Amino acid sequence: MSTTTSSTMHGRTATAGTKAGFGRRVAAGVIGGLAGGIVFGVLMAMMGMLPMIAGMVGSDSPFVGFAVHLMISIMIGLGLTVLFGNLLLTTYVRGLLVGMAYGAIWWVLGPLVAMPLMFGMPPFTFDATTLPSLMGHVLYGGILGVVAVATLVRRR
């Protein structure tokens, strides 16, 4: 039986002595990825970007684009929480900051590298969607990080 020591300071909860199990880290990635993905997906819908995401699977439907976006959001969330949840997601503030940095990394990997290459365009092309895309990815990551921490520290 493990012991857990918790303290709350300025709205942050630090939990020491217990590591979240694999199932808890998976749940944190799915829930955090969905939370961030839904918010970012709504912003993408408002900017008319979902048909482009749907193009990844040969469609132009915004509904298909939203579904693809949510699947990607979950996978990216799982990457953070399963691999690094116990190490990096230890407080709400740290979850926010790590998540925002993680979102920025995925902004580079996704819209600046992978998507242009998928569509036969040069990587690292900057246009009118570049800054809103960065802001959306950072927002996604921040939400992912905070929701993941909330899931990881809940009933340890």
Side-chain angles (χ1 to χ4, degrees), residues 30-86:
V30 170
I31 296 166
L34 274 175
I38 289 169
V39 172
F40 187 19
V42 168
L43 295 174
M44 290 173 70
M46 291 170 35
M47 294 185 291
M49 297 174 72
L50 291 176
M52 179 182 63
I53 302 300
M56 295 171 65
V57 295
S59 175
D60 62 357
S61 165
F63 298 106
V64 171
F66 192 73
V68 169
H69 168 73
L70 288 181
M71 296 276 81
I72 293 169
S73 297
I74 291 169
M75 298 305 291
I76 290 172
L78 287 168
L80 178 62
T81 61
V82 170
L83 298 176
F84 305 110
N86 286 329

Side-chain angles (χ1 to χ4, degrees), residues 8-150:
T8 302
M9 180 187 324
H10 304 292
R12 294 176 286 161
T13 302
T15 305
T18 303
K19 300 282 187 187
F22 180 76
R24 177 67 60 161
R25 294 191 322 271
V26 167
V30 170
I31 296 166
L34 274 175
I38 289 169
V39 172
F40 187 19
V42 168
L43 295 174
M44 290 173 70
M46 291 170 35
M47 294 185 291
M49 297 174 72
L50 291 176
M52 179 182 63
I53 302 300
M56 295 171 65
V57 295
S59 175
D60 62 357
S61 165
F63 298 106
V64 171
F66 192 73
V68 169
H69 168 73
L70 288 181
M71 296 276 81
I72 293 169
S73 297
I74 291 169
M75 298 305 291
I76 290 172
L78 287 168
L80 178 62
T81 61
V82 170
L83 298 176
F84 305 110
N86 286 329
L87 179 65
L88 300 176
L89 303 176
T90 55
T91 67
Y92 287 103
V93 170
R94 190 166 180 174
L96 175 67
L97 296 175
V98 166
M100 291 170 70
Y102 188 68
I105 291 167
W106 276 103
W107 170 71
V108 172
L109 296 175
L112 293 184
V113 176
M115 290 219 30
L117 293 176
M118 285 179 73
F119 291 110
M121 301 182 308
F124 297 104
T125 302
F126 296 89
D127 59 24
T129 65
T130 305
L131 185 58
S133 177
L134 171 60
M135 292 176 5
H137 281 83
V138 169
L139 176 65
Y140 160 81
I143 294 169
L144 163 63
V146 169
V147 171
V149 168

